[in-house]
Amino acid sequence: SVPLLYDSETKKVLAMDSWECIKFNKDDAHTEKYGNAAIDLRVPIEQNIQNILDQEIGPATRCIAYSYLLDRKSDGGKGDHAFNKMMQKSVGCSWLERFIVGFSPVRSALADKMYSLMCKNKEHICQQREALKRAASKLEGILEKRPVGTFYADKEMKIPTLAAMATAALMYPVLFNDEVQSVLYNGKKEIEWDDLPMGYQKEILFWRGTKLGRLSMEIYQKFRK
């Protein structure tokens, strides 16, 4: 499971969920260093926002992104090429995983299985796209009415909250911004814009133009260095 919090002294797994991991830091410090900024851990994430992120935003963005990357026929095979390149270059993949995925037949079988689980079919993908639009509209409404106390901890909007960071993280699959590549690929930009299928490019440009997309991009640009 990712993320995972492991205690090397007790040899026990303490948490296997993002929100559970956060709880271990929350009581010990007011802020947690993130890039060149501090997240204010004292501002709790509202349950309705957490539910939207966990149940609507996350599943939808993953489904949309994988619908292009796991489709071996997408844009003349660009999806398959991009998926393989991501796996080969990711610091999170072991040499064995890279070796296995490097074989086209194995990668095809893996992609087909992942597609059936995460994307299912064209109808489901369209439903998830509409679900993401509705969920984004909900969060944009909250952001517009009261950004301070939900997405920012201060009136100057210099200190993001857990809600802001979680939103940016879960929106990444449909934003594909360079700041995350530096983390995934050991400080390098390995996946070029032209590596992505045309449909995925259009999807990314659409979501970058939304209010929620702009908030997420701003969080990355300001705080993920």
Side-chain angles (χ1 to χ4, degrees):
S1 177
V2 178
L4 180 145
L5 188 61
Y6 178 76
D7 189 330
S8 60
E9 293 183 2
T10 63
K11 310 294 184 184
K12 292 182 179 180
V13 174
L14 302 179
M16 295 180 66
D17 173 84
S18 300
W19 307 113
E20 291 299 319
C21 290
I22 288 168
K23 289 179 181 179
F24 282 88
N25 285 329
K26 201 169 183 181
D27 297 330
D28 298 329
H30 291 315
T31 58
E32 177 70 16
K33 198 66 179 175
Y34 182 91
N36 64 340
I39 309 172
D40 196 318
L41 297 176
R42 293 169 296 179
V43 180
I45 185 167
E46 297 175 14
Q47 189 61 53
N48 65 316
I49 294 178
Q50 183 176 331
N51 290 342
I52 292 171
L53 292 172
D54 281 347
Q55 300 169 18
E56 300 175 55
I57 299 285
T61 57
R62 290 191 292 271
C63 173
I64 292 169
Y66 279 124
S67 72
Y68 296 105
L69 297 173
L70 299 177
D71 183 352
R72 290 177 285 117
K73 297 179 182 179
S74 178
D75 199 3
K78 270 194 170 182
D80 178 62
H81 173 74
F83 176 63
N84 184 38
K85 195 172 182 180
M86 290 174 185
M87 293 293 287
Q88 296 299 329
K89 299 295 184 179
S90 174
V91 295
C93 291
S94 67
W95 69 268
L96 181 58
E97 289 172 317
R98 295 191 186 101
F99 180 76
I100 293 173
V101 172
F103 283 99
S104 183
V106 176
R107 185 170 67 254
S108 295
L110 176 63
D112 288 346
K113 183 62 176 179
M114 290 176 65
Y115 188 96
S116 67
L117 292 172
M118 303 185 74
C119 307
K120 297 182 181 178
N121 51 53
K122 299 294 183 183
E123 183 181 359
H124 179 73
I125 296 165
C126 289
Q127 290 172 350
Q128 286 297 294
R129 187 175 287 110
E130 292 305 310
L132 180 55
K133 290 178 181 178
R134 292 192 297 270
S137 180
K138 294 177 191 176
L139 289 187
E140 287 170 354
I142 297 172
L143 174 64
E144 190 172 324
K145 291 180 180 178
R146 46 190 179 90
V148 177
T150 51
F151 293 98
Y152 288 98
D154 60 324
K155 293 181 179 179
E156 292 75 24
M157 297 189 186
K158 293 181 179 179
I159 303 177
T161 64
L162 294 172
M165 290 298 179
T167 298
L170 291 174
M171 283 294 291
Y172 168 71
V174 293
L175 299 176
F176 207 80
N177 40 311
D178 292 344
E179 291 82 4
V180 178
Q181 284 209 52
S182 65
V183 178
L184 296 177
Y185 308 120
N186 201 25
K188 300 177 182 178
K189 182 181 178 181
E190 296 286 1
I191 312 301
E192 299 294 336
W193 181 251
D194 288 340
D195 288 331
L196 304 176
M198 185 67 70
Y200 193 18
Q201 292 179 7
K202 292 179 179 178
E203 196 89 51
I204 290 167
L205 291 175
F206 172 81
W207 288 106
R208 285 182 178 181
T210 63
K211 290 181 181 178
L212 197 65
R214 290 196 295 273
L215 165 73
S216 301
M217 294 286 285
E218 180 181 275
I219 293 295
Y220 279 114
Q221 289 162 1
K222 283 185 176 179
F223 308 120
R224 169 53 84 186
K225 300 296 183 182

